[in-house]
Amino acid sequence: MSVLESRIISTPRLDTHLWLAGAPAKPAILLLHGNVSSAAFFDRVQAALGERYFVIAPDLRGYGRSEAKPVDATRGVRDFSDDLAALLASPELGLATDAKVHVVAWSAGGNVAMQLAIDHGARVASLTLINPGSPYGFGGTKGLDGTPCYDDFAGSGAGGVNPTLVELLAAKDTSADQPVSPRNVMNTFYWKPPFKPDPETEERYLAGMLEIAIGEGNYPGDALPSANWPNVAPGVAGMNNALSPKYLNQSEIVQLRDKPPILWVRGADDQIVSDRSMFDFGVLGELGAVPGWPGAEVFPAQPMVAQTRAVFDRYAAAGGAYTEVVVADAGHGPHIEKYDEFMAALTRFLAK
């Protein structure tokens, strides 16, 4: 296992904290974490890959120890992908100016990775997407083509985040006293119970969750009132609005001239990104957890996995290639829950 080196690299866009493993002369891998997490969640994967690759694991804007500049959600996740493009071009990092990187990305990091391929494709050799968000964003859409449930995209964005979780994240709460404490959210939804990391790793991952910038400019962002159920619509700033389908539509990846090969890895029992996500208003309304649900014709559960597969099928039909690997008995974090199985799939893919 390689030793991880902590660095901060400054670009005109951002002061980015990152972990490095391996030597710059080796082929490069970029690891991208998801929402309410940090690069710490890739520590074991990075240490193993560092034996053969130059592995770069940054904390995204507003996460971990990176600078917390506000996120312009009206650009979708382009603030993040542009930050990464600037990082890859930094002389401090030591990559050749024409070097391509293999991108391995988890959850919302998968959306950032797809945007990097769309806007900065010359830097992307391949995409490994672990339980990525739908190319049509999170919440407020229906059908395989991402049709919005309402014109104002109500039911997506920052208004969908539990305010108690936000308060506890801001308070750096490490308890297990409330159902939505950061620790309980991680152990209930990031993996499939009863899986839990060993105690030392659990504390390290929890610390990574709590290194998050809270506010309207970062997590979760601002929310607007709506006349449409569930009466909240996306604002214009912060991560969760950046993931709203009002601003995010990555189906254009199908039109890329140079299409990087895609490995899509997902836990079979994911509760966060699924066709029946427990964080989706369509599911919560159907279950009666959010009163006033207008019914499945108006606001069904967003078919996140099916939407992703539909876009990837079009990607393949247009000359690209993707492989779907479903990891049994795993939730949202198969690279942690089923480390050996994940690494075997990733190694096979990279070897091609």
Side-chain angles (χ1 to χ4, degrees):
M1 291 286 186
S2 296
V3 175
L4 307 187
E5 175 193 357
S6 174
R7 291 270 302 278
I8 292 179
I9 291 181
S10 298
T11 73
R13 290 190 56 81
L14 196 75
D15 294 341
T16 300
H17 172 262
L18 62 160
W19 296 96
L20 296 175
K26 298 177 181 179
I29 293 179
L30 179 67
L31 304 176
L32 303 180
H33 66 81
N35 203 356
V36 195
S37 62
S38 75
F41 282 76
F42 274 116
D43 53 359
R44 189 179 181 192
V45 170
Q46 184 176 19
L49 291 173
E51 296 294 322
R52 297 182 59 187
Y53 298 91
F54 179 47
V55 193
I56 307 152
D59 293 326
L60 298 176
R61 172 186 295 230
Y63 294 88
R65 304 172 196 173
S66 287
E67 187 178 3
K69 284 186 177 179
V71 175
D72 179 358
T74 66
R75 304 185 70 233
V77 293
R78 284 184 168 89
D79 273 356
F80 301 102
S81 59
D82 288 351
D83 291 345
L84 294 170
L87 175 66
L88 294 175
S90 171
E92 285 187 67
L93 191 59
L95 290 178
T97 55
D98 59 349
K100 290 178 176 283
V101 298
H102 299 283
V103 185
V104 179
W106 177 39
S107 191
N111 294 103
V112 175
M114 285 188 275
Q115 199 64 56
L116 187 68
I118 291 168
D119 293 339
H120 306 282
R123 301 311 301 258
V124 176
S126 70
L127 294 173
T128 297
L129 306 175
I130 310 164
N131 294 75
S134 165
Y136 297 110
F138 195 99
T141 69
K142 54 188 175 183
L144 299 184
D145 60 351
T147 300
C149 297
Y150 300 111
D151 289 344
D152 65 352
F153 295 88
S156 68
V161 178
N162 188 304
T164 302
L165 173 61
V166 177
E167 292 172 5
L168 294 175
L169 285 168
K172 310 297 184 189
D173 180 84
T174 61
S175 75
D177 297 338
Q178 300 192 53
V180 295
S181 72
R183 184 186 300 276
N184 285 336
V185 167
M186 176 175 65
N187 286 325
T188 302
F189 296 105
Y190 284 27
W191 1 100
K192 180 183 179 181
F195 174 87
K196 286 178 67 174
D198 66 77
E200 181 181 343
T201 303
E202 180 183 344
E203 296 307 316
R204 189 165 64 251
Y205 290 168
L206 179 61
M209 293 175 70
L210 297 177
E211 289 181 319
I212 184 173
I214 299 296
E216 290 192 347
N218 296 105
Y219 178 85
D222 59 327
L224 299 176
S226 173
N228 298 310
W229 185 88
N231 307 120
V232 290
V236 297
M239 170 56 108
N240 285 56
N241 291 319
L243 295 171
S244 164
K246 182 174 183 178
Y247 310 117
L248 183 99
N249 184 338
Q250 296 175 321
S251 63
E252 63 185 293
I253 196 171
V254 172
Q255 275 74 52
L256 286 181
R257 185 183 66 181
D258 297 318
K259 295 178 171 65
I262 295 173
L263 173 64
W264 176 24
V265 182
R266 61 182 185 87
D269 302 306
D270 188 3
Q271 298 185 77
I272 297 177
V273 177
S274 78
D275 288 344
R276 290 192 58 79
S277 168
M278 293 306 298
F279 291 75
D280 176 24
F281 273 119
V283 174
L284 296 174
E286 179 185 336
L287 296 176
V290 179
W293 182 55
E297 287 190 7
V298 176
F299 205 116
Q302 180 185 357
M304 302 177 188
V305 172
Q307 287 177 346
T308 301
R309 187 177 297 111
V311 170
F312 288 174
D313 282 346
R314 289 169 50 209
Y315 186 83
Y322 84 94
T323 302
E324 180 180 358
V325 174
V326 182
V327 182
D329 201 32
H332 193 59
H335 62 298
I336 294 169
E337 300 167 84
K338 300 286 187 176
Y339 169 83
D340 290 338
E341 188 172 344
F342 169 77
M343 290 299 292
L346 178 61
T347 301
R348 287 193 302 269
F349 176 69
L350 293 176
K352 297 179 181 179

